[in-house]
Amino acid sequence: MTVLSGVGSKRAEQFEKLGVCSVGELINFYPRAYEDWTSVTAIADITEEGVYCVKARLATSISDAMIGGGRILSKGSISDDTGTLKVVFFNNRYISRMLAYGGEYFFYGKITFDGYGAQMVSPTFSAARDGVGIHPVYRSTAGLPSKTIANAVRNALKMLPETVGDPLPEQVRRHFDLCGLRQALCDIHFPKNSAALERARQRLVAEELVVLNLGMRSLRDHSRTISGVKIQRDCSADFEKLLPFSLTGAQKRAIADCVHDMLEKKSQMNRLVQGDVGSGKTVVAASVCYTVIQNGFQAAFMAPTEILAKQHYETFSKLLSGTGVTVALLTGALKESEKKRVREGLADGTVQLVIGTHALITDKTTFHNLGVAVTDEQHRFGVAQRAKLLSKGDNPHLLVMSATPIPRTLGLIIFGDLDISVIDELPPNRKPVRTVLMSGSQRGRIYNFIREEVGKGRQAYIVCPLVEEGETDGVASAEEYAAELMLREFSDIPVGLVHGKLKPDEKERVMSAFAAGEYKILVATTVIEVGVDVPNASVMVIENAERFGLSQLHQLRGRVGRGEAQSFCVLISDHLNAATKQRLEVMCATNDGFVIADEDLKMRGPGDFFGERQHGLPQLAIADFAETRSLELSQKIAEYILFIYKDLRNEELRLLNAEIDRLFDRGGHNTMN
Ligand code: ADP
Ligand code: MG
């Protein structure tokens, strides 16, 4: 960094804090926002508060005054041909030297009005002779303001060779009308106008998504290695006889897809089973495990939470009792001695099926001959964790399950390395959950309704959002809420409470008591969001519903409507602006997870699908998963590249390959092998 003029070792350290350690990284440190200085407003035309750019001369010199707290207030006035305006700066004792009396500048900033007229507070400015443009705003830190970063970037760009190597070959750029890398880099930092900025952005986004797309594809090709797991016999028909119900057509198709992968293909299975909440993914996984076990291999099933692992363990144990298959549970909450016992069983092969949490992928866990690895609720695991589980065997088969309906374009990238089976059919006799939106003032009615349902032998969930520290206003904390209910409204009905801060064994005790019907009402935070199955529950009440994303609400709602009784979901909110109302009404209008996912993506972007970085994909610098059009374009470009060059190892793609390595490296990404 210190090769740049104006950057000494102290500056370099400040840059490092922003994650910028080299000139190359600085060039890729894109602005977080832009200020549009291209439209200049005449001072006389400013009649409302707002952000403006004016071109004006300093009509007075800047005067400094000390104000309370040892702060400096600098004031002056500026004028153009139409009028005069005050400018005010705080705590910058250099201002009076930076702005010369009579000099002409662009001033950009927020205009406010007080009794004496309009003033611009702490504007940014540049000499008028530098010309107008769109000014970059960088993520800055103390002592390293955006303007300083901009200067460093300007110097860095000067060092960029005229013919900088471009990861996108010319032919590809021409075909898709994308500008060259050099142009894009200059324009992303210092665009002349918004069209130039848009073109630069489009090009950089396309490149990043193409790199991601091709990277995911090559990951898939890598993982298609010869599997050491030889499956000869399809035992899914025997498994079906163990079930108390018959499988839906969609379940049968998903199982058949898996069996086909394992029996007919030389390489290992890499399959995603995607199905809405309640579509019955668990038995699909169970069937696959059963076949693998009957062929003499072990199976591992990884769930994202202790509660879910425990529940799956019970389901599997019950189903497989009498078949002679040995099933074990391995979670962090077990006693060390128990964990040790299970691990020994896995190492010597006496445990054939293990259900567990992340405890499965720690180094201490080894398998005798792992044949299939299943991950439930895949969006909760990163690609790297998936890979870690696979590394426990000799290229075992992989089955991942996800209830989160993911918009198609996004799915292509996130699960780009997997084949997909969709369970698009619910088990028979399911009645769609009826959803209503109510205000807190109607709580009395809602409680009466719960009482009626409990009277019919059913159960209810009441979900409260997590309380963030220092933020209790109007938000029902689960603990207080439950206490209140137990003491007053439902003093005669057993109420349980479960939240993330409980010890795992306590959490488990409450959940199993609820599943067994000992508690009729369960007050919970979103710990119950994922996968928990209590078919007898028929009411889901969600407090402060406006705090949840649609996909999350859909997951929560999926906890009811799992049995044959009509189920209900009540969304309670007292904070309904037009947008929130519209959002929550989508929930009332449809039970279709894909419709909800698309709406959610439109309204909130992709973060909500995965939580913070939960998708395990590399971190993107500029592209946004919510931009469907860019995702589609990148898909086309990737296909074009593979069509033209046949093989990623083609010499023309050398720079593109380097970018793939860089992107996946940055994300802490493990390859499959
Ligand atoms: P999810 O896809 O959300 O993981 P589960 O596998 O938990 O769904 O299944 C939801 C419920 O439906 C469970 O109680 C399960 O026993 C039941 N179920 C699954 N398949 C069928 C079927 N074909 N017929 C009837 N009930 C089924
Ligand atoms: Mg499930």
Side-chain angles (χ1 to χ4, degrees), residues 277-278 280-282 308 312 376-377 401 403 530-532 559 562:
V277 283
K281 293 182 292 295
T282 316
L308 202 53
H312 283 321
D376 196 13
E377 308 297 342
M401 298 191 296
V530 186
V532 174
R559 300 307 109 221
R562 304 187 139 238

Side-chain angles (χ1 to χ4, degrees), residues 127-141:
R129 68 185 132 77
D130 289 348
V132 287
I134 293 183
H135 289 226
V137 181
Y138 295 93
R139 191 157 57 78
S140 48
T141 62

Side-chain angles (χ1 to χ4, degrees), residues 513-531:
F514 183 67
E518 287 159 31
Y519 291 124
K520 299 297 177 195
I521 299 172
L522 186 67
V523 177
T525 56
T526 51
V527 292
I528 59 149
E529 174 196 342
V530 186

Side-chain angles (χ1 to χ4, degrees), residues 243-249 251 273-284 308 311-312 315 319 376-377 401-403 423 425-430 530-535 555 558-559 561-564:
L243 294 171
F245 45 72
S246 43
L247 293 169
T248 64
Q251 284 170 321
V273 170
Q274 190 173 21
D276 212 344
V277 283
S279 60
K281 293 182 292 295
T282 316
V283 287
V284 171
L308 202 53
Q311 195 171 45
H312 283 321
T315 310
L319 270 180
D376 196 13
E377 308 297 342
M401 298 191 296
S402 182
I423 306 191
E425 185 184 349
L426 292 180
N429 302 324
R430 289 280 173 79
V530 186
V532 174
D533 187 40
V534 181
Q555 287 277 320
R559 300 307 109 221
R562 304 187 139 238
E564 293 193 1

Side-chain angles (χ1 to χ4, degrees), residues 35-296:
E35 290 174 352
D36 186 356
W37 295 36
T38 55
S39 70
V40 170
T41 309
I43 291 180
D45 290 343
I46 300 176
T47 53
E48 282 174 42
E49 296 203 343
V51 173
Y52 296 92
C53 181
V54 299
K55 186 182 184 187
R57 288 185 185 282
L58 212 60
T60 62
S61 52
I62 299 283
S63 64
D64 293 339
M66 292 298 277
I67 53 170
R71 294 184 304 157
I72 306 166
L73 174 70
S74 312
K75 279 198 293 199
S77 52
I78 57 173
S79 59
D80 64 7
D81 296 342
T82 69
T84 302
L85 194 66
K86 269 189 294 181
V87 285
V88 182
F89 299 87
F90 293 100
N91 273 338
N92 189 339
R93 58 199 151 98
Y94 303 110
I95 283 292
S96 50
R97 268 180 269 164
M98 291 162 84
L99 287 170
Y101 171 65
E104 194 179 23
Y105 302 90
F106 287 105
F107 293 92
Y108 181 97
K110 183 158 187 226
I111 302 259
T112 56
F113 289 87
D114 64 12
Y116 302 102
Q119 57 179 7
M120 202 178 232
V121 182
S122 308
T124 42
F125 52 85
S126 72
R129 68 185 132 77
D130 289 348
V132 287
I134 293 183
H135 289 226
V137 181
Y138 295 93
R139 191 157 57 78
S140 48
T141 62
L144 190 58
S146 177
K147 216 169 169 171
T148 312
I149 299 176
N151 284 334
V153 171
R154 214 183 283 275
N155 287 332
L157 285 174
K158 280 188 203 138
M159 295 169 65
L160 214 57
E162 208 51 55
T163 52
V164 59
D166 196 325
L168 292 181
E170 162 137 37
Q171 189 179 355
V172 175
R173 272 182 286 144
R174 232 184 305 125
H175 192 87
F176 291 95
D177 188 28
L178 298 168
C179 67
L181 180 60
R182 190 169 203 289
Q183 184 73 46
L185 288 173
C186 291
D187 285 351
I188 201 73
H189 291 287
F190 305 106
K192 300 219 167 26
N193 50 44
S194 52
L197 172 59
E198 189 41 42
R199 217 170 136 63
R201 234 186 69 77
Q202 201 185 27
R203 139 78 210 221
L204 294 172
V205 166
E207 179 185 318
E208 188 165 44
L209 290 177
V210 165
V211 165
L212 179 60
N213 195 308
L214 290 173
M216 291 305 282
R217 280 171 200 254
S218 72
L219 205 60
R220 174 178 59 194
D221 297 340
H222 263 293
S223 59
R224 310 263 139 130
T225 43
I226 308 285
S227 173
V229 180
K230 294 272 163 290
I231 303 297
Q232 324 271 4
R233 212 153 50 86
D234 171 9
C235 307
S236 58
D238 298 342
F239 176 80
E240 204 176 335
K241 292 195 197 112
L242 304 171
L243 294 171
F245 45 72
S246 43
L247 293 169
T248 64
Q251 284 170 321
K252 283 187 189 156
R253 280 192 296 278
I255 293 170
D257 286 345
C258 296
V259 167
H260 178 264
D261 286 352
M262 295 190 298
L263 253 68
E264 309 292 333
K265 293 189 180 168
K266 284 210 175 63
S267 58
Q268 73 219 60
M269 165 168 79
N270 272 292
R271 186 165 289 276
L272 165 71
V273 170
Q274 190 173 21
D276 212 344
V277 283
S279 60
K281 293 182 292 295
T282 316
V283 287
V284 171
S287 173
V288 171
C289 290
Y290 185 78
T291 286
V292 169
I293 291 166
Q294 296 306 332
N295 279 269

